[in-house]
Amino acid sequence: MQVKELAAKIQPELVELRRYFHQHPEPSWEEVNTANRIAEELAKLGISVERKAKTGVVGTLKGTRPGRTVALRADIDALSIKEETGLPFASQNEGYMHACGHDAHITCLLGAAKILSQLKDEIAGTVKFIFQPAEELAQGAKKLVEEGAMDGVDGIFGLHVWGDLPAGKISVDPGPRMASADMFVITVEGKGGHGSAPHQGVDAVVVASAIVMNLQTIVSREISPLEPVVVSIGKIVAGDRFNIIASKAVLDGTSRCFNPEIRKNLPDIIRRIAENTAATFRAKAKVEYQFGCGATINDEHLTEIAKGSVKKLYGEEALAPMPLLTGSEDFSFYAEKAPATFAFLGICNPEKGTCFPQHHSHYTIDEDALQVGAAVYAQFALDFLAEKK
Ligand code: NI
């Protein structure tokens, strides 16, 4: 039996597993029960298990022939959202929900482990199964890399279920797929005073407002219109009372882009605009910029392998294009260590009512896609390792 048939055969088990994980969501860094169940499932298959990055699990399966090492990654954390699906297997952990489909990722990767453990004779090399905690905080991948999860890995593949993509379709394309995500805080220092005599103070509210407006020119006037960039201020805190001139304002923002060169320049651009705008009004501004995770950029060659795997399994028609996403993924940390490619697995089926955006309180998936995800993970591993290098 080959990968597609093996995946179809374990479909009922996959549904059961997915419902178990869906029912027991745990937030980032607290995926204790989730990790235990994953480790248990891997051990049942005779796969060696290591615990890394607190609640991470890394399984290693060696083929019967020597070769390179491929890693397959699934993230395992849930979100603090109150589930409103009304499903019989809805969250039993009040206030938490697998609303980003990470329950499906765990299941698909365990499915791949089940498939590949039956195909050891076809594996030339080693398969690492990386179950990553704390993706929603963009922290888990970095920690796993620091703890050596990527040591000796020659290539890595990851996937994400996606609510906009028809169930069972796979999007895997070369180049940028998801944006980088960074954070910054701008602190404006003005001078307080009576609201009736603004000339005696330096109004931090006016300065903050001007900074917000001037930051809009980064995207509209400074960066090429052919390069997608987002600069958003999501929070402003300033002032104490309606008739007092605010002496201080704090602005929290995020920036996103797909081009690493632009990303490198954004802190300087934001700093220049904030500081000089403040100076215009006799105030001072300080910018603290924190790099979060880089853009998810798919390696050309690995993407070709992944496309080939999908075609082999389900034919050309299973491949579906998807536009770039300004959301981000900490999968990019693995890509700093080895060639990487990241795919999207469609779970939207209007007849089953599974077409909600990610992080929605009604989010759910067409479970028929589980076997597809499991098969694609497994087939990619076999195809990557089959390449002579
Ligand atoms: Ni997610």
Side-chain angles (χ1 to χ4, degrees):
M1 256 196 291
Q2 279 315 303
V3 171
K4 185 179 165 184
E5 290 72 32
L6 288 169
K9 207 177 133 205
I10 58 169
Q11 170 66 13
E13 285 173 62
L14 297 181
V15 170
E16 219 172 283
L17 277 170
R18 183 259 166 168
R19 292 183 180 188
Y20 174 81
F21 290 115
H22 192 83
Q23 214 159 16
H24 302 97
E26 293 172 299
S28 307
W29 294 129
E30 291 174 33
E31 309 92 333
V32 176
N33 172 61
T34 306
N36 287 343
R37 180 71 196 264
I38 292 167
E40 207 177 284
E41 291 294 325
L42 291 174
K44 267 195 242 168
L45 301 167
I47 291 174
S48 73
V49 177
E50 273 176 290
R51 303 296 192 106
K52 280 190 190 294
K54 204 175 164 204
T55 40
V57 181
V58 179
T60 302
L61 176 69
K62 282 192 189 309
T64 50
R65 286 173 289 145
R68 295 185 298 159
T69 298
V70 66
L72 305 172
R73 177 271 206 167
D75 44 7
I76 68 172
D77 52 337
L79 290 155
S80 49
I81 292 179
K82 190 173 159 29
E83 177 157 356
E84 294 179 320
T85 59
L87 289 166
F89 52 90
S91 169
Q92 290 182 352
N93 192 0
E94 182 72 20
Y96 295 101
M97 176 188 176
H98 268 297
C100 197
H102 298 187
D103 50 340
H105 305 164
I106 304 168
T107 305
C108 291
L109 191 51
L110 283 176
K114 283 175 193 282
I115 295 166
L116 290 169
S117 60
Q118 293 175 66
L119 295 173
K120 270 194 208 166
D121 290 341
E122 319 225 347
I123 300 173
T126 302
V127 185
K128 269 191 169 187
F129 303 92
I130 299 181
F131 293 88
Q132 181 208 307
E135 190 282 327
E136 297 291 355
L137 299 175
Q139 293 174 352
K142 194 165 177 244
K143 188 94 183 111
L144 275 166
V145 169
E146 281 167 8
E147 293 191 15
M150 285 295 284
D151 293 357
V153 171
D154 299 295
I156 180 164
F157 173 83
L159 65 74
H160 205 299
V161 292
W162 211 251
D164 290 339
L165 204 59
K169 299 274 187 205
I170 308 279
S171 154
V172 57
D173 289 296
R177 300 303 294 142
M178 295 183 87
S180 58
D182 301 328
M183 287 148 282
F184 57 88
V185 178
I186 303 174
T187 307
V188 176
E189 293 288 350
K191 195 175 144 208
H194 199 288
S196 65
H199 60 290
Q200 291 174 351
V202 174
D203 190 346
V205 164
V206 171
V207 177
S209 307
I211 289 173
V212 172
M213 296 312 289
N214 286 347
L215 287 176
Q216 307 309 308
T217 63
I218 298 174
V219 175
S220 70
R221 304 289 91 174
E222 188 158 349
I223 307 279
S224 160
L226 302 179
E227 293 280 359
V229 176
V230 175
V231 179
S232 292
I233 298 289
K235 182 179 172 189
I236 303 181
V237 177
D240 297 305
R241 217 184 115 88
F242 76 99
N243 62 354
I244 298 177
I245 298 294
S247 62
K248 187 179 169 186
V250 180
L251 303 84
D252 291 359
T254 182
S255 57
R256 316 268 169 142
C257 66
F258 297 93
N259 182 331
E261 276 305 305
I262 291 175
R263 183 184 185 215
K264 234 192 288 169
N265 294 331
L266 281 172
D268 285 343
I269 298 175
I270 291 170
R271 204 165 278 132
R272 189 192 75 229
I273 291 176
E275 289 175 0
N276 289 308
T277 301
T280 307
F281 300 101
R282 298 171 290 137
K284 279 202 174 76
K286 191 177 84 205
V287 178
E288 288 157 277
Y289 197 95
Q290 199 188 332
F291 285 106
C293 55
T296 299
I297 300 174
N298 281 352
D299 177 80
E300 298 248 349
H301 181 61
L302 258 69
T303 304
E304 266 320 296
I305 298 176
K307 273 183 189 264
S309 307
V310 174
K311 282 191 229 169
K312 200 181 282 178
L313 289 165
Y314 301 107
E316 178 99 46
E317 60 278 11
L319 288 167
M322 211 173 86
L324 298 183
L325 297 169
T326 48
S328 66
E329 243 296 338
D330 71 356
F331 186 75
S332 53
F333 284 106
Y334 303 109
E336 290 173 9
K337 293 285 163 192
T341 193
F342 194 70
F344 295 93
L345 168 63
I347 47 95
C348 161
N349 182 340
E351 280 166 26
K352 296 184 185 172
T354 63
C355 304
F356 291 96
Q358 303 300 120
H359 297 199
H360 193 286
S361 61
H362 285 82
Y363 190 83
T364 188
I365 64 163
D366 180 348
E367 290 174 325
D368 287 346
L370 292 171
Q371 59 172 301
V372 178
V376 172
Y377 267 128
Q379 189 68 54
F380 176 84
L382 292 174
D383 293 344
F384 177 87
L385 294 175
E387 273 205 333
K388 294 273 169 288
K389 275 276 152 96

